[in-house]
Amino acid sequence: MKNKPDSLFFNRQFCAEAQNGWDRSGLSVERFGMEVEMNTKSDQLYERACKRMPGGVNSPVRSFRSVGKTPFFVDKAAGAFLIDVDHNRYLDYVCSWGPGILGHAHPAIIEAVRRACEKGLTFGAPTEKEVELAELVNECVPSMEMMRLVSSGTEACMSAIRAARGFTGRDKIIKFEGCYHGHSDGLLVKAGSGLMTEAIPDSAGVPAGYAENTLLAGYNDPDSVSRLFDAYRDQIACVIVEPVAANMGVVPPAEGFLPFLREITEKNGALLIFDEVITGFRLSPGGAQEYYGVRPDLSTFGKIIGGGMPLAAYGGRKDVMSRIAPLGPVYQAGTLSGNPVAVTAGLETLRQLIAHPEIYEEIDRRAGKLEEAFRETGFTVNRVGSLLSCFFTKEPVTDYRSALRSDTKAFAAYFAAMLERGIYVAPSQFEALFVSAAHTDEMIERTCRAIREAV
Ligand SMILES: *Cc1c(COP(=O)(O)O)cnc(C)c1O
């Protein structure tokens, strides 16, 4: 494929470098896509991996089980492309499940990380960059008055809920069917993402007692929330929500849904938590809360905030965050929290996004083209900014139940057809497709053609 990147300046330079790198590595530009080859290196690795890791992977959706395939093993990535251990090249719309908004191996980030590594990998003591990152996050997201850096989105959500419970002195929480907030015990109830396709309705190993304080409401269903507040008056610590649901496929909030949540929580002395692990720094520098103009009490961030390294954050109102140890009685800690290398990757990523605000328009416009291509096929497509999902149903998808109406067999066939064309989308109906700044118009065009053929 001839790359004629037509995106932003830094991106143009970046893609040219990536292209050079591939040429040097001897990868034929014609070998775009999956080779039909028996016993590839990926197959051999998969066989070995399965002996030592459940399903051969370290996170279930990576196994490709739900689409009836075996995974490819990645050797390296640059810009919009992944290259596997058999030298196949894939145009990547998974973007590591969200962090890769600038594309892979962005030179500025790699360089910053390299410099940080030379200074030492972890100190377990505060650093200047943590302060800079916390200040920058607060500038982008004003509701983040105080925050804690942690190492994963799971940890951020778990800790934010503990903070809400500690602050309100209440135990119950409301979450929505199909929203995913990481794999901590109390949150694995109708949790979307891998749990939808992996046929794990609720995880085994979670004692009933852990989940009994988790109340379930319907996404985009205000009445279901009102009913819970009526039934459990003065017992609800918080409502946690993905402001744009992106773990049952992308499902935008209906008009008025987020303002409704703001109002009902405030009226009942409960906190509103936006899980912006996916939407943060993706829909806008201020995340979904800026995009929709609704200010939550607490928020969680992950994925983009770490720039490809294990980093996440939770925070919000100063009075709530002042209850966290050592200021208050809510305990939360982490040996690698605020790790200097991860903080460097995150800080540099946010700085790139702030220096190139045009990225947001570009990825929005390009995702719009993919949306059109899907729409022409007659299936339902949901999009918010650079996040989108095509559902294999003709009915609108507005919540968990309607998402489940998708034909996952048709999705599996579509996934395989895209992969054959060298295009890697998430191997599950219930994940988002991510557009990054490294996807050029030409790549998008090519993808639109592939969509028309594959669907
Ligand atoms: C990915 C995700 C999480 C969990 O983050 P991890 O870093 O995988 O633990 C939480 N909430 C949302 C909305 C996510 O998409």
Side-chain angles (χ1 to χ4, degrees):
M1 160 166 184
K2 288 186 283 336
N3 268 330
K4 202 157 67 46
D6 50 356
S7 186
L8 314 147
F9 168 71
F10 81 91
N11 193 29
R12 209 171 292 149
Q13 205 180 8
F14 171 35
C15 286
E17 278 169 36
Q19 185 73 43
N20 286 341
W22 291 325
D23 292 348
R24 272 201 306 278
S25 73
L27 178 73
S28 153
V29 283
E30 266 68 58
R31 289 183 70 184
F32 187 88
M34 183 113 113
E35 293 281 285
V36 188
E37 224 176 82
M38 293 307 285
N39 218 5
T40 59
K41 190 159 180 212
S42 278
D43 289 340
Q44 292 162 12
L45 283 171
Y46 183 60
E47 204 181 317
R48 281 165 58 196
C50 284
K51 292 193 183 126
R52 297 286 172 251
M53 290 177 262
V57 290
N58 282 310
S59 195
V61 279
R62 293 181 199 169
S63 75
F64 287 15
R65 265 170 111 87
S66 69
V67 288
K69 295 222 156 240
T70 57
F72 56 81
F73 283 64
V74 176
D75 177 35
K76 58 187 172 183
F81 292 95
L82 284 180
I83 301 184
D84 72 12
V85 289
D86 296 297
H87 310 292
N88 298 305
R89 183 173 148 197
Y90 309 91
L91 184 53
D92 178 22
Y93 287 102
V94 180
C95 298
S96 191
W97 308 87
I101 191 168
L102 297 173
H104 296 285
H106 189 288
I109 294 162
I110 298 293
E111 185 47 36
V113 166
R114 202 194 312 271
R115 280 198 308 268
C117 286
E118 283 166 2
K119 290 178 151 192
L121 298 180
T122 174
F123 317 122
T127 61
E128 183 174 0
K129 283 196 176 141
E130 288 165 79
V131 185
E132 288 175 359
L133 181 57
E135 287 171 350
L136 193 57
V137 169
N138 171 254
E139 270 169 46
C140 294
V141 190
S143 76
M144 290 287 277
E145 295 167 1
M146 273 181 126
M147 70 202 77
R148 267 283 163 80
L149 301 180
V150 293
S151 300
S152 71
T154 295
E155 213 186 334
C157 294
M158 182 181 89
S159 309
I161 285 172
R162 186 179 303 147
R165 285 175 165 151
F167 180 77
T168 57
R170 301 170 176 183
D171 286 343
K172 298 213 182 295
I173 66 166
I174 295 179
K175 85 172 275 292
F176 294 92
E177 288 181 340
C179 282
Y180 180 66
H181 307 293
H183 64 89
S184 71
D185 285 335
L187 291 170
L188 280 181
V189 185
K190 290 252 165 73
S193 194
L195 289 101
M196 285 175 84
T197 44
E198 302 297 315
I200 308 170
D202 296 304
S203 175
V206 177
Y210 280 63
E212 84 186 12
N213 284 316
T214 306
L215 308 171
L216 270 183
Y219 197 79
N220 283 332
D221 180 359
D223 290 345
S224 67
V225 181
S226 299
R227 280 197 297 274
L228 290 174
F229 272 104
D230 287 342
Y232 298 95
R233 199 163 288 283
D234 302 330
Q235 296 177 54
I236 295 170
C238 63
V239 172
I240 184 166
V241 66
E242 289 181 73
V244 173
N247 284 288
M248 48 178 151
V250 173
V251 179
E255 175 89 47
F257 182 58
L258 298 175
F260 163 79
L261 295 180
R262 178 63 285 178
E263 203 181 302
I264 193 164
T265 43
E266 206 161 302
K267 210 166 67 193
N268 287 278
L271 302 185
L272 178 61
I273 305 177
F274 275 6
D275 178 349
E276 296 233 35
V277 170
I278 282 188
T279 53
F281 307 103
R282 177 164 284 281
L283 297 185
S284 73
Q289 48 198 278
E290 177 184 355
Y291 196 88
Y292 291 104
V294 175
R295 186 178 171 122
D297 301 299
L298 296 177
S299 308
T300 59
F301 294 87
K303 299 186 173 131
I304 290 175
I305 200 177
M309 299 287 289
L311 182 81
Y314 75 98
R317 270 167 51 182
K318 193 172 170 195
D319 55 345
V320 180
M321 292 305 288
S322 299
R323 306 288 290 163
I324 308 291
L327 294 184
V330 179
Y331 195 70
Q332 180 267 316
T335 301
L336 292 178
S337 289
N339 172 269
V341 183
V343 166
T344 300
L347 196 54
E348 190 57 40
T349 299
L350 301 196
R351 284 182 177 152
Q352 288 288 332
L353 289 170
I354 290 162
H356 298 280
E358 68 277 15
I359 285 174
Y360 290 98
E361 286 149 47
E362 296 262 317
I363 58 180
D364 181 284
R365 183 174 60 75
R366 291 185 171 139
K369 287 190 181 165
L370 297 180
E371 179 188 12
E372 269 168 49
F374 279 125
R375 185 147 296 153
E376 281 166 24
T377 67
F379 288 105
T380 296
V381 50
N382 284 347
R383 178 176 77 89
V384 180
S386 57
L387 292 171
L388 72 155
S389 289
C390 177
F391 295 92
F392 286 85
T393 169
K394 311 227 157 162
E395 306 295 316
V397 173
T398 57
D399 60 8
Y400 183 71
R401 274 149 229 241
S402 45
L404 281 177
R405 267 189 233 120
S406 299
D407 180 347
T408 51
K409 285 216 180 70
F411 179 88
Y414 151 79
F415 171 82
M418 292 298 274
L419 202 60
E420 270 162 31
R421 288 164 177 76
I423 296 171
Y424 175 46
V425 296
S428 161
Q429 169 70 85
F430 306 110
E431 304 286 349
L433 188 153
F434 295 93
V435 176
S436 80
H439 290 103
T440 63
D441 281 332
E442 191 186 346
M443 296 171 194
I444 296 283
E445 282 307 316
R446 192 183 170 116
T447 309
C448 289
R449 281 200 300 278
I451 289 169
R452 276 178 223 121
E453 291 167 19
V455 177

